[in-house]
Amino acid sequence: MTSQTQTDYFLILAQLAAVTEPQPDTIANLSNASAVLSMNLARINWAGFYLVRQEELVLGPFQGRPACVRIPFGRGVCGTAAASGSTQLVPDVHAFPGHIACDGASNSEIVVPIFQGKKLVAVLDIDSPEYDRFDISDKEGLEKCAALLGNACSWIL
């Protein structure tokens, strides 16, 4: 199933650049970024960030229902993305080994690591109530969003 077009991600990237360019504050930028993504991505029920703290992820700014607060590296989709340093595109979260169900309505998920230089600083997590919601264009577009945020934020928390 196609989710977004390249044009959609071009506009999302432009919006992210506009809200982050004048401001390096990490929390402010991630708060606005979660709003931009939530407003522009169709058929999702959660968009947000988990911040790296030692060997675990801690909930950061997001749009959606309350979520898990701490996730160890290697556990669930977010922890796997953090441990591997690679994007996890999951068409059916219920089939993913060790999936952490923060919201039972979520059926597919994409998690993109965010780096400052070569250092992992956060992950971008987006959930959908639809199975197989995310595709390669989402992966490519969201990886560009993650790269923009990795460079735009100070990451001093």
Side-chain angles (χ1 to χ4, degrees):
M1 171 181 296
T2 350
S3 51
Q4 298 293 123
T5 65
Q6 295 298 343
T7 304
D8 291 328
Y9 280 107
F10 177 79
L11 294 173
I12 290 169
L13 285 162
Q15 289 177 7
L16 289 177
V19 298
T20 61
E21 187 175 300
Q23 174 60 262
D25 185 274
T26 301
I27 297 300
N29 284 343
L30 297 183
S31 296
N32 277 330
S34 64
V36 166
L37 292 166
S38 182
M39 290 181 341
N40 285 286
L41 295 174
R43 304 178 329 275
I44 66 166
N45 60 336
W46 203 91
F49 301 89
Y50 280 91
L51 308 172
V52 172
R53 298 288 179 269
Q54 285 84 37
E55 291 296 309
E56 71 177 353
L57 299 168
V58 177
L59 182 64
F62 70 93
Q63 300 279 314
R65 290 185 165 185
C68 303
V69 175
R70 295 184 182 276
I71 300 173
F73 276 27
R75 185 155 180 252
V77 181
C78 289
T80 299
S84 68
S86 62
T87 299
Q88 302 295 303
L89 197 158
V90 182
D92 178 358
V93 295
H94 309 291
F96 190 89
H99 173 251
I100 302 168
C102 294
D103 181 351
S106 294
N107 290 312
S108 64
E109 184 171 7
I110 186 167
V111 180
V112 181
I114 301 175
F115 295 92
Q116 181 184 42
K118 293 185 185 278
K119 179 183 177 189
L120 178 71
V121 290
V123 297
L124 164 60
D125 180 18
I126 303 181
D127 297 353
S128 174
E130 293 182 13
Y131 289 97
D132 202 24
R133 159 63 180 83
F134 306 103
D135 63 16
I136 193 70
S137 69
D138 294 298
K139 178 182 182 294
E140 292 168 354
L142 292 170
E143 286 174 346
K144 289 177 184 174
C145 293
L148 183 151
L149 293 168
N151 293 323
C153 298
S154 67
W155 299 104
I156 299 169
L157 301 169

